[in-house]
Amino acid sequence: MKLKIKNPATGQLVQEVPINTEEEIQQKLKRGHESFNNWFKVNAHYRSKLLKKWSNKVQGAKEEIAKTITLESGKPIQESLNEVDYATSYIDWYAEEAKRIYGRTIPANSESKRVIVTRQPVGLVAAITPWNFPAAMMTRKAAPALAAGCTFIIKPAENTPLTTIKLVQLAHEAGIPEDVVQYVNGYGNEVGKLFTASTYVKKITFTGSTTVGKLLMKDSADTVKHISLELGGHAPLIISEDADIDFAVSQTIASKFRNAGQTCICVNRVLVHENIVDEFSEKLTKEVVKLKVGNGLEKDINIGPIINEKGFDKIIYQINDAMQKGAEVLCGNNYNANRDAGCFFIHPTVLKNVNENMAIMQEETFGPVIPLTTFKEIEEAVEIANSTPYGLAAYFFTNDYRTGAYFHENLDFGIVSWNDGAPSAAHTPFGGMKESGLGREGGIEGIESYLETKYLSIGGLKK
Ligand SMILES: NC(=O)c1ccc[n+]([C@@H]2O[C@H](COP(=O)([O-])OP(=O)(O)OC[C@H]3O[C@@H](n4cnc5c(N)ncnc54)[C@H](O)[C@@H]3O)[C@@H](O)[C@H]2O)c1
Ligand SMILES: O=CCCC(=O)O
């Protein structure tokens, strides 16, 4: 059995990839578990060197990897090149953090005792990643795991395994042992069950939908695994009356149309102060109509295809639902779909007069649509922003420090971005509150969940 990897922009077959049998997966899990005892004893400076070598190899193959990302995920080639840099920034960051896994001493409550706290890697980590950032979601998990001394096995999304296969191959070429970093290919529900049931796996790390994240959490309970979840979002972007409108327009576009809106922290709803909504929507629409839609391998394309039919149908449903309930289309709402070939393009769409009864204000869109709604008071904006089960990213634009402080403190989101449409970076803690996830990836926090705390109590010492 094979996975057929198709280019979502053309429907053409890119490559076939064998699906691993259950037996093969169990063997790999066993090898990952057994190699842990050697890998975690390798000194941190050496692990760091291997990670740096891996990063250099990935950068050396940057063009090839970027092309693979575009071929399997559809994202415009410039975005894929950026993703390779973003992916290596996580390896570079954790190559440094490997050397900074510190313990501590605690003053004992007896003269004959000493108390020492050390950190140790959790063991074999199993990762499941999505199709929208096939390189960065892999390295954001693999790099801290390997830096901490864990061994690592990954199942990439069924439609984008090629990038992962290449990254793992480069890790081996860099000198990271074959059993220390491995991949398997197969269907999410089947491999997920093997990962969660395995007693070799000590931690599950997942990026994807909230539905699957909840399932993995339930299935991990029987063996009480560590778990990190980066799940769905429904990011609000709030524009205050005093904001710099031109800047807010450019940042809204930067956030919303990254990967054709198929990014978990993409703006999903824009809340504009009622006194500036006409000026903002006019300026926004003028810029949005300039964006070019097409095959990401072609020059100057800004918006690639929607990943699949399911994603496409959901976006179209949300646009139609909003229009039926009174939304006005300022631009877009046209699309090309070739269902036989499996190619789906949606032109960037701006909707005005959107309200909270519309599906687009409640459900994640994962597509190039901007719904605009208005508010009068900042308290009302916060109430609307916090009104979904999601809590991944929120954006606001204001030049008033009091308004900024209010938004920062009251928005229930793991990432709060003030006058900034692009907050993601390897040195920062990325992750969500509420049903958007558990744990953080990136920054000093990103290695924590790959480590156990061990406390040593030494007694009977000379007073
Ligand atoms: N928070 C983040 O960083 C982040 C990043 C990317 C995507 N996402 C979210 O993911 C969604 C879209 O991505 P998607 O369609 O790839 O999501 P998905 O959850 O269906 O798939 C993600 C991964 O999970 C696997 N999977 C599917 N069913 C599974 C199961 N029953 N058990 C175990 N694994 C399973 C898939 O094979 C894939 O590898 C959006 O909701 C988006 O917000 C979140
Ligand atoms: O969509 C998931 C990840 C996006 C990001 O890291 O900015």
Side-chain angles (χ1 to χ4, degrees):
M1 292 256 288
K2 288 187 172 169
L3 297 173
K4 285 187 182 353
I5 316 309
K6 290 188 178 167
N7 180 345
T10 61
Q12 277 165 355
L13 183 69
V14 179
Q15 202 175 311
E16 291 189 330
V17 171
I19 292 176
N20 289 106
T21 62
E22 179 174 341
E23 202 188 330
E24 285 167 347
I25 295 173
Q26 296 292 10
Q27 281 303 317
K28 284 182 183 234
L29 289 171
K30 188 162 183 275
R31 289 206 299 272
H33 169 72
E34 285 169 355
S35 60
F36 173 68
N37 278 333
N38 295 327
W39 179 246
F40 102 83
K41 288 178 189 145
V42 168
N43 80 70
H45 291 256
Y46 188 65
R47 287 203 301 267
S48 168
K49 279 199 181 104
L50 292 181
L51 284 168
K52 282 183 185 159
K53 271 194 183 171
W54 182 27
S55 169
N56 289 339
K57 291 218 170 265
V58 174
Q59 277 296 321
K62 180 172 170 177
E63 309 283 327
E64 181 194 342
I65 297 172
K67 193 171 172 203
T68 304
I69 294 173
T70 295
L71 279 173
E72 60 183 358
S73 78
K75 98 175 33 169
I77 190 71
Q78 187 53 52
E79 284 195 45
S80 297
L81 289 162
N82 297 346
E83 187 183 338
V84 179
D85 288 343
Y86 185 42
T88 51
S89 73
Y90 282 101
I91 310 179
D92 295 341
W93 174 263
Y94 286 108
E96 293 303 320
E97 287 302 288
K99 296 177 281 183
R100 300 196 181 101
I101 299 170
Y102 301 126
R104 77 196 149 106
T105 58
I106 299 175
N109 59 357
S110 153
E111 288 73 12
S112 64
K113 281 190 168 196
R114 300 290 180 273
V115 179
I116 296 169
V117 180
T118 57
R119 311 301 306 280
Q120 289 191 355
V122 297
L124 173 63
V125 172
I128 300 181
T129 48
W131 47 267
N132 63 346
F133 285 82
M137 294 307 99
M138 188 272 184
T139 58
R140 186 151 94 181
K141 294 170 173 16
L146 298 172
C150 297
T151 49
F152 186 81
I153 186 163
I154 179 169
K155 188 213 79 68
E158 290 86 323
N159 35 3
T160 58
L162 303 175
T163 304
T164 301
I165 293 172
K166 182 72 189 173
L167 291 174
V168 171
Q169 180 202 323
L170 292 172
H172 296 158
E173 281 175 24
I176 300 173
E178 292 203 355
D179 292 346
V180 167
V181 55
Q182 306 180 83
Y183 65 82
V184 298
N185 280 305
Y187 295 104
N189 55 347
E190 292 167 12
V191 180
K193 285 247 175 300
L194 299 179
F195 280 1
T196 50
S198 172
T199 51
Y200 294 139
V201 174
K202 302 296 186 254
K203 174 183 163 84
I204 295 280
T205 172
F206 171 72
T207 296
S209 61
T210 297
T211 311
V212 172
K214 287 179 182 176
L215 205 75
L216 289 169
M217 199 171 169
K218 275 190 201 128
D219 289 351
S220 296
D222 282 344
T223 46
V224 194
K225 293 190 198 314
H226 293 259
I227 186 154
S228 300
L229 303 170
E230 297 286 354
L231 309 176
H234 199 287
L237 184 147
I238 305 169
I239 304 169
S240 287
E241 193 176 3
D242 70 289
D244 175 337
I245 295 187
D246 293 327
F247 184 60
V249 164
S250 70
Q251 296 297 292
T252 303
I253 288 174
S255 168
K256 176 72 245 188
F257 297 113
R258 192 169 162 219
N259 197 15
Q262 302 170 109
T263 303
C264 53
I265 60 164
C266 271
V267 173
N268 213 93
R269 42 200 168 123
V270 178
L271 286 63
V272 193
H273 192 276
E274 61 177 13
N275 292 346
I276 56 165
V277 70
D278 290 337
E279 183 184 351
F280 178 80
S281 53
E282 205 174 294
K283 287 184 164 170
L284 178 74
T285 308
K286 214 166 137 197
E287 293 305 313
V288 170
V289 294
K290 293 180 190 162
L291 299 172
K292 280 177 73 178
V293 180
N295 182 339
L297 283 180
E298 286 167 16
K299 213 171 161 261
D300 299 331
I301 292 298
N302 308 105
I303 314 262
I306 301 304
I307 190 73
N308 57 28
E309 189 165 21
K310 195 171 152 217
F312 172 79
D313 286 341
K314 181 180 172 192
I315 301 162
I316 298 303
Y317 156 73
Q318 288 192 0
I319 296 175
N320 289 338
D321 170 75
M323 284 164 58
Q324 275 159 19
K325 292 176 181 161
E328 181 190 345
V329 178
L330 297 185
C331 67
N333 187 32
N334 42 23
Y335 36 86
N336 328 326
N338 182 340
R339 288 187 192 265
D340 293 336
C343 303
F344 304 92
F345 292 91
I346 299 184
H347 285 257
T349 300
V350 179
L351 302 172
K352 208 176 164 185
N353 300 333
V354 167
N355 65 52
E356 285 190 81
N357 296 325
M358 301 172 184
I360 200 161
M361 289 295 279
Q362 304 301 330
E363 300 163 9
E364 190 175 36
T365 305
F366 243 54
V369 187
I370 301 182
L372 299 174
T373 191
T374 56
F375 67 92
K376 273 196 184 78
E377 307 295 339
I378 54 174
E379 292 79 5
E380 183 195 352
V382 167
E383 201 180 314
I384 298 172
N386 286 343
S387 68
T388 76
Y390 298 107
L392 187 55
Y395 305 79
F396 62 85
F397 289 81
T398 179
N399 289 326
D400 182 320
Y401 75 92
R402 286 158 302 194
T403 306
Y406 181 83
F407 282 140
H408 171 235
E409 281 171 19
N410 290 285
L411 287 166
D412 296 335
F413 293 81
I415 302 164
V416 176
S417 206
W418 179 353
N419 290 342
D420 181 10
S424 308
H427 50 278
T428 62
F430 186 105
M433 289 162 59
K434 293 158 66 179
E435 293 187 20
S436 285
L438 279 180
R440 296 292 180 268
E441 293 188 320
I444 52 172
E445 290 84 355
I447 201 164
E448 284 296 317
S449 63
Y450 295 92
L451 295 166
E452 288 277 16
T453 296
K454 191 180 270 183
Y455 137 58
L456 173 69
S457 182
I458 310 171
L461 300 176
K462 269 196 165 168
K463 289 195 180 175

